[in-house]
Amino acid sequence: MEFIFYAALLWAWLERLVAGIPRFLIFATAAYVILYFATLALVAGVHRHWWRVTWFRRLFYWQFPVALLGAVFRVLSRYYDVPWLWAIGTSLFSALTLYLGAFFIAALLLTPVVVGFSLYDRLRQGGAEEPSSFERRRFLSRGLAVVPALGAMGVSHGIYTSYTRTRMPTVPLRYPDLPAELEGLKILHLSDIHIGPYIQLSDLEALLVRAAQAAPDLIVVTGDVCDHNPEYLATLRLLESVPAQFGTYASLGNHEYMRGIRRIRRHFDQTAIPLLVNEGLAVPVGAATLYLGGVDDPRFLRSPASYAQLRNSVERAVSSSPSDAFTVLLSHRSQALDYAAPLGGTDLILAGHTHGFQLGMAGRSFFEPFFPERYI
């Protein structure tokens, strides 16, 4: 009976643990596991000369349990208020996933080269493999190892630059019929701040000090503010501390839902920052009117229902806009443009979410040539 009692307690604890795991973390962990074994099959099956290197094989083996340990730390941090659990877990899992992804892409790109040379040698020699061809292929495989090494260096550079000085580009916008009161209006647009292991509150504070020097008239935040719930309210406090004549306003992103939307709403309720969700408000600027509409986020934009939700949210956000107002639409998803444009009346859309499709160089995404119709 005692065994059954403890087994029931363990089962109840596991049920509570699993119920509290965010879906995005389950998805990310599953994606990592699939990526790991796909890379393992690719390396062991095609790039065998790499696999025969002892240190490489050991490093590859150890990455798996260490990354999963990071995921476990992330889960435990939701139940125990221990800052290092969340910080270490997120850093381990994110960094190892990035390195594994870079290596997989490099190995995948090199596979046709290695297989092509192997087939060429076999065809040229009538199916018999001479020692010279084996040595040549081994030299080629080892020589091409520089490519995944460059990928790892690229990931390291990306992580490093996340800690360096953030650029704040100024984008001038010109409108032929802009009311005189809105001429020279400065809008500070912040999105996808993601306060967490890579971006600290101190980093945001330093950025806002620089931003305040530009004397913004209006501040807008389009979602994904903070990835660490205990610091969410402190992040909002920092944002509202920046002086702006016409205030600070925000819309939701998908990470707000991932972190628990009810808790996030309570944080906003404790600040002076209006959270605009499927609604808007008019801000008088002298004799002119500036209308700010906030779009809700569909969490996952994949199914027809999620696109319909986004369209409905856009329509509701701008439905109360006065005809003579300058209308600014705040949307975490840039796809809101597809639904706002046919409605007319929206003068400016500010969005985020894509992070430039994550991979790029010199401020441009590698994916731009492949997705010319996408907002990246």
Side-chain angles (χ1 to χ4, degrees), residues 94-132:
S94 301
L96 290 177
T97 301
L98 286 172
Y99 280 113
L100 181 63
F103 183 82
F104 174 77
I105 293 173
L108 191 64
L109 292 175
L110 292 176
T111 295
V113 179
V114 175
V115 172
F117 271 94
S118 177
L119 291 175
Y120 171 77
D121 283 338
R122 289 184 177 276
L123 290 173
R124 189 169 62 87
Q125 298 160 14
E129 185 173 26
E130 297 180 356
S132 59

Side-chain angles (χ1 to χ4, degrees), residues 144-159:
L144 291 176
V146 69
V147 177
L150 289 175
M153 290 173 60
V155 171
S156 300
H157 175 71
I159 294 175

Side-chain angles (χ1 to χ4, degrees), residues 22-206:
R23 284 191 297 174
F24 84 94
L25 184 57
I26 296 175
F27 172 79
T29 305
Y32 172 83
V33 172
I34 294 172
L35 180 63
Y36 179 87
F37 284 103
T39 307
L40 176 62
L42 187 62
V43 173
V46 179
H47 304 281
R48 298 172 187 172
H49 296 296
W50 296 348
W51 193 245
R52 293 191 183 103
V53 179
T54 304
W55 67 264
F56 173 85
R57 192 167 58 251
R58 288 177 178 173
L59 184 65
F60 195 86
Y61 279 145
W62 274 104
Q63 175 178 275
F64 187 74
V66 172
L68 293 187
L69 180 64
V72 171
F73 280 5
R74 284 289 306 274
V75 173
L76 292 177
S77 69
R78 293 180 62 85
Y79 301 97
Y80 304 100
D81 190 15
V82 182
W84 64 263
L85 269 178
W86 180 81
I88 293 178
T90 301
S91 299
L92 280 177
F93 186 79
S94 301
L96 290 177
T97 301
L98 286 172
Y99 280 113
L100 181 63
F103 183 82
F104 174 77
I105 293 173
L108 191 64
L109 292 175
L110 292 176
T111 295
V113 179
V114 175
V115 172
F117 271 94
S118 177
L119 291 175
Y120 171 77
D121 283 338
R122 289 184 177 276
L123 290 173
R124 189 169 62 87
Q125 298 160 14
E129 185 173 26
E130 297 180 356
S132 59
S133 66
F134 175 79
E135 291 297 328
R136 183 166 57 252
R137 196 163 63 252
R138 182 170 63 176
F139 173 79
L140 176 66
S141 298
R142 290 180 174 177
L144 291 176
V146 69
V147 177
L150 289 175
M153 290 173 60
V155 171
S156 300
H157 175 71
I159 294 175
Y160 167 75
T161 53
S162 69
Y163 291 97
T164 57
R165 186 177 176 87
T166 304
R167 295 183 298 111
M168 288 195 303
T170 300
V171 182
L173 301 174
R174 295 175 176 83
Y175 293 85
D177 301 321
L178 189 69
E181 292 86 352
L182 299 181
E183 287 286 351
L185 184 78
K186 297 179 183 178
I187 301 176
L188 173 61
H189 175 211
L190 299 168
S191 190
D192 299 86
I193 304 170
H194 291 289
I195 293 296
Y198 300 117
I199 302 176
Q200 310 291 328
L201 279 172
S202 57
D203 299 320
L204 176 61
E205 185 175 13

Side-chain angles (χ1 to χ4, degrees), residues 190 193 208 219-222 225 232-242 246-251 264-277 279 281 330:
L190 299 168
I193 304 170
L208 292 178
I219 301 173
V220 296
V221 186
T222 53
V225 174
Y232 204 103
L233 181 57
T235 304
L236 295 181
R237 296 290 190 202
L238 265 181
L239 293 173
E240 70 176 350
S241 69
V242 181
F246 301 109
T248 301
Y249 305 85
S251 63
I264 299 304
R265 283 182 176 274
R266 287 197 296 269
H267 289 327
F268 272 98
D269 289 340
Q270 298 177 59
T271 71
I273 302 176
L275 180 61
L276 304 177
V277 184
E279 61 181 343
L281 55 81
L330 310 181

